[in-house]
Amino acid sequence: MRPSIFVVVIGTTDVSLIPGISVAGASPELTHLTPALDVEYLIAGRPLTLDVIPVTPQGIPTPALVTRAVAYDVPKLVVNAGSRWAPKVPYVELGGEPGRDIRFFSAISRDAAGNIVKRGQILGRELGRLGVVYIGESIPGGTTTAMAILVALGYDAWGRTSSASPNNPKELKAAVVKKALERAGRPLDPLEAARQVGDPVHLALAAVALGVAEGGGAPVLAGGTQMAAAAALYKALGGEMSKLHVVTTRWIAEDKNADFWGLMEEVGVRNVHVANVSFAASKHPGLRAYEEGYVKEGVGMGGALFYAQLVGRDVLPLVEAEYERVTATR
Amino acid sequence: MRPSIFVVVIGTTDVSLIPGISVAGASPELTHLTPALDVEYLIAGRPLTLDVIPVTPQGIPTPALVTRAVAYDVPKLVVNAGSRWAPKVPYVELGGEPGRDIRFFSAISRDAAGNIVKRGQILGRELGRLGVVYIGESIPGGTTTAMAILVALGYDAWGRTSSASPNNPKELKAAVVKKALERAGRPLDPLEAARQVGDPVHLALAAVALGVAEGGGAPVLAGGTQMAAAAALYKALGGEMSKLHVVTTRWIAEDKNADFWGLMEEVGVRNVHVANVSFAASKHPGLRAYEEGYVKEGVGMGGALFYAQLVGRDVLPLVEAEYERVTATR
């Protein structure tokens, strides 16, 4: 389960602009910058598009901080499934496009969806030859589109996806999903569901994972409840569930405002791993906030922590040192 | 020396449009499609932008055929340094741009050059953590811009770079280089030289190699005399020559119409490897043509052959089978 390479798939959905949906940015507008800033900071050590590390409106820093701090020696590769802002670090282009507001429009075009699936799978096949491939994500608003994808695929996901906020805005999310499903009509085949009510990222996660498995590697989806949607699409595209892994944080696994385990079981994910870590002893309130339900997952944080603990690293001092480095340069 | 990953850097220069300069395409105009078609075929098994495998005007197929046939199990990653046509397979975007005709214009803008160097280096650092990284290229017209870069950096490269044709158009190339150097003025610092009289690809090769070395890996430039220009830029950017490798084909090493060994020595490349292979016994005239001086190198062919022989593969039957596959589907 040691990763040969760590892939981070980025993209945006206009769903994150709906006030109250996402806290992955200091304001709804800034959520569109978050994926670029996340991966710039992850790879280059500092954000380049703006000199601002992504934070929640309360100032809690991006999970990319944890991923960078504890999985510093794993090669990382950014994959752009469809972002409004292209990052200023090297990234693999899949030919997708940013996701539209699913209440009023199909999320992405047929062409974009076709490119994402074909090219994501091709990329995955190449990377699969390396062995174990961790696949993380950064898409503000993603837990809402994940819920929409799952429901459209026939799973009972109402109110069961997580949130980066301690106060999961479940009613708001469900209202968005309901409106999107009414607009799109049903039944939808899996690809059409992801294209209509999803976003570019979940489709890319599934396609890359499928390619990795085909290339002889082990795909490890590193994320929270959103990965149920990615796994459901992987399964629908013909992926073997015995080859697929999901790894997440304790904060997701224990989240009472969502149902990670129920979703994993319903979708049929057999290999689930949890990074059992606590920031309760941290001297920094911004890190202790993770214990109160802020952030929880993203940018492959659970996978990074799982790997770091596997190789015997004491993660909290690493995270604190990185936290101090980035807050000192502000 | 077994590659963990095989990178192919693609891009174009308008120098390839000058009649007589390049045979990496059936016509000068088609040379601009060659990099995209090369990597589409290499990764996906068939060209996607057009249903045409790149050939010389005589119909001799692209060296990508050999690379695909013999290094089938090595993960491959396409890097776009600046192409007129973006390939329809996943590729890493560096934020460069296509090279202009160096006789009349600076090859690329300062912004593009800056992006290529910074992002190429960042990418290389990540990939360097994987270990040995082979770095090939596809840029029609590249032996002319390579000559221009080398001369601008103070090396005596006049008439010493190779050609994909048995009849190396040395006078024509030298005239282009002379005109470019007159336009650009001298002396030029290395980055400015590459920007003024080079192209996006050589700069990217150097930057990726530099990053790989910094990331703890071994950069292996897989190509012919062009790699002298990439190595010279690597050195100028501060790269350690003891860490750098170049691997090429016997057809380049023995080419009487160029001076591979002299260029390597002058630039200070210490680790040079040659794939000692012959296609003389092939049943296909299109492959025997390699023995007559057609093609010689490109798309990492020498590196692929070197690796395949290292792991004990009988390469000619593999190449012939692939040749038959692609000619049968025409």
Side-chain angles (χ1 to χ4, degrees):
Chain A
M1 280 291 290
R2 291 195 193 188
S4 294
I5 195 161
F6 206 115
V7 169
V8 180
V9 180
I10 60 168
T12 52
T13 164
D14 287 352
V15 168
S16 71
L17 301 178
I18 301 170
I21 280 276
S22 172
V23 295
S27 71
E29 291 67 33
L30 286 175
T31 58
H32 272 183
L33 278 165
T34 296
L37 298 174
D38 269 349
V39 295
E40 288 169 357
Y41 159 71
L42 179 70
I43 305 281
R46 62 189 180 89
L48 305 171
T49 294
L50 277 182
D51 189 19
V52 176
I53 300 246
V55 294
T56 69
Q58 300 79 17
I60 320 289
T62 168
L65 188 149
V66 176
T67 302
R68 180 175 165 85
V70 306
Y72 48 81
D73 55 348
V74 181
K76 297 176 192 78
L77 190 64
V78 176
V79 174
N80 182 26
S83 297
R84 293 249 174 240
W85 295 78
K88 295 189 170 182
V89 288
Y91 59 86
V92 178
E93 178 58 50
L94 293 186
E97 65 182 16
R100 290 176 284 263
D101 186 334
I102 59 174
R103 295 175 299 177
F104 311 116
F105 311 101
S106 57
I108 53 175
S109 68
R110 276 198 182 82
D111 274 3
N115 287 346
I116 290 169
V117 171
K118 266 182 271 172
R119 299 181 196 177
Q121 201 175 346
I122 290 173
L123 177 70
R125 259 181 233 142
E126 297 298 323
L127 299 179
R129 302 185 209 280
L130 291 169
V132 177
V133 181
Y134 280 30
I135 310 167
E137 53 67 39
S138 175
I139 175 170
T143 55
T144 303
T145 47
M147 192 197 293
I149 292 167
L150 286 165
V151 173
L153 291 181
Y155 300 100
D156 171 19
W158 295 105
R160 294 168 80 190
T161 61
S162 196
S163 165
S165 162
N167 309 305
N168 193 344
K170 290 185 194 183
E171 288 71 28
L172 177 56
K173 288 183 185 179
V176 170
V177 172
K178 197 157 169 274
K179 199 154 178 186
L181 292 168
E182 280 165 12
R183 177 195 55 72
R186 291 166 77 178
L188 298 169
D189 80 48
L191 269 186
E192 187 63 11
R195 180 182 95 74
Q196 281 286 351
V197 303
D199 59 73
V201 168
H202 286 92
L203 208 44
L205 293 166
V208 172
L210 186 65
V212 167
E214 287 172 349
V220 182
L221 296 169
T225 51
Q226 291 183 228
M227 292 310 182
L233 289 170
Y234 167 91
K235 189 180 184 178
L237 290 169
E240 283 183 50
M241 295 310 275
S242 62
K243 293 186 176 172
L244 187 74
H245 297 251
V246 171
V247 57
T248 194
T249 63
R250 204 198 86 232
W251 304 302
I252 287 288
E254 295 184 350
D255 181 12
K256 298 274 181 288
N257 290 311
D259 184 11
F260 174 76
W261 295 102
L263 288 175
M264 288 296 141
E265 186 170 344
E266 208 170 318
V267 173
V269 179
R270 299 182 209 169
N271 311 300
V272 181
H273 314 270
V274 178
N276 187 13
V277 64
S278 170
F279 289 173
S282 177
K283 53 192 161 196
H284 300 295
L287 294 175
R288 287 201 304 273
Y290 279 50
E291 295 298 323
E292 292 150 31
Y294 288 96
V295 184
K296 295 191 191 77
E297 246 302 2
V299 200
M301 175 166 66
L305 288 166
F306 183 81
Y307 156 72
Q309 293 190 322
L310 199 68
V311 297
R313 283 180 197 152
D314 190 5
V315 296
L316 186 55
L318 291 171
V319 175
E320 290 192 318
E322 179 66 4
Y323 185 85
E324 286 152 23
R325 185 184 76 82
V326 303
T327 49
T329 60
R330 302 293 91 198
Chain B
M1 281 289 289
R2 291 195 194 188
S4 294
I5 195 163
F6 205 116
V7 168
V8 180
V9 180
I10 61 169
T12 52
T13 164
D14 287 352
V15 168
S16 71
L17 301 178
I18 301 170
I21 280 277
S22 172
V23 296
S27 71
E29 292 67 33
L30 287 174
T31 59
H32 271 184
L33 279 166
T34 296
L37 298 175
D38 269 349
V39 295
E40 287 169 357
Y41 160 70
L42 180 70
I43 305 283
R46 63 190 180 89
L48 304 170
T49 295
L50 276 183
D51 189 19
V52 176
I53 300 246
V55 292
T56 70
Q58 299 79 19
I60 320 289
T62 170
L65 187 149
V66 176
T67 303
R68 180 174 166 85
V70 306
Y72 48 83
D73 55 348
V74 180
K76 297 177 191 79
L77 190 64
V78 176
V79 175
N80 182 26
S83 298
R84 293 249 174 240
W85 295 77
K88 295 189 171 180
V89 288
Y91 59 86
V92 179
E93 178 57 49
L94 293 185
E97 64 184 15
R100 290 176 285 263
D101 185 335
I102 59 174
R103 294 174 302 176
F104 311 116
F105 311 101
S106 58
I108 54 175
S109 69
R110 276 198 182 79
D111 274 2
N115 287 346
I116 290 168
V117 170
K118 266 181 273 172
R119 299 180 198 177
Q121 200 174 347
I122 290 173
L123 177 70
R125 258 181 233 142
E126 296 299 323
L127 299 181
R129 302 186 209 279
L130 290 169
V132 177
V133 181
Y134 279 30
I135 311 168
E137 51 68 38
S138 175
I139 175 170
T143 56
T144 303
T145 48
M147 192 197 292
I149 291 168
L150 285 164
V151 172
L153 291 181
Y155 299 100
D156 172 18
W158 294 104
R160 293 168 81 189
T161 60
S162 197
S163 165
S165 162
N167 308 304
N168 193 343
K170 290 185 192 181
E171 289 70 29
L172 177 56
K173 287 183 183 177
V176 170
V177 171
K178 195 157 171 274
K179 200 156 177 185
L181 292 168
E182 281 165 12
R183 177 194 55 73
R186 291 166 76 180
L188 299 169
D189 80 46
L191 269 186
E192 186 64 9
R195 179 182 96 75
Q196 281 286 351
V197 303
D199 59 73
V201 169
H202 286 92
L203 208 47
L205 293 167
V208 172
L210 185 66
V212 167
E214 288 171 349
V220 182
L221 295 169
T225 52
Q226 291 182 225
M227 291 310 182
L233 289 169
Y234 167 91
K235 190 180 183 178
L237 289 170
E240 283 183 50
M241 294 309 275
S242 62
K243 292 186 177 171
L244 187 73
H245 296 250
V246 171
V247 57
T248 194
T249 63
R250 205 197 86 232
W251 305 302
I252 287 288
E254 295 184 350
D255 182 11
K256 297 274 181 287
N257 290 311
D259 184 12
F260 174 76
W261 295 103
L263 288 174
M264 287 296 141
E265 186 170 343
E266 209 170 316
V267 172
V269 179
R270 298 182 210 169
N271 311 301
V272 181
H273 314 269
V274 178
N276 187 14
V277 63
S278 171
F279 289 174
S282 176
K283 54 191 162 197
H284 298 297
L287 294 175
R288 287 201 305 272
Y290 279 50
E291 295 300 321
E292 292 150 31
Y294 288 95
V295 185
K296 295 189 190 77
E297 246 302 0
V299 199
M301 175 168 64
L305 287 166
F306 183 81
Y307 156 72
Q309 292 190 324
L310 199 69
V311 297
R313 284 180 197 151
D314 190 5
V315 295
L316 186 54
L318 291 169
V319 175
E320 289 192 319
E322 180 66 2
Y323 185 85
E324 285 152 25
R325 184 183 77 83
V326 302
T327 49
T329 58
R330 301 293 94 194

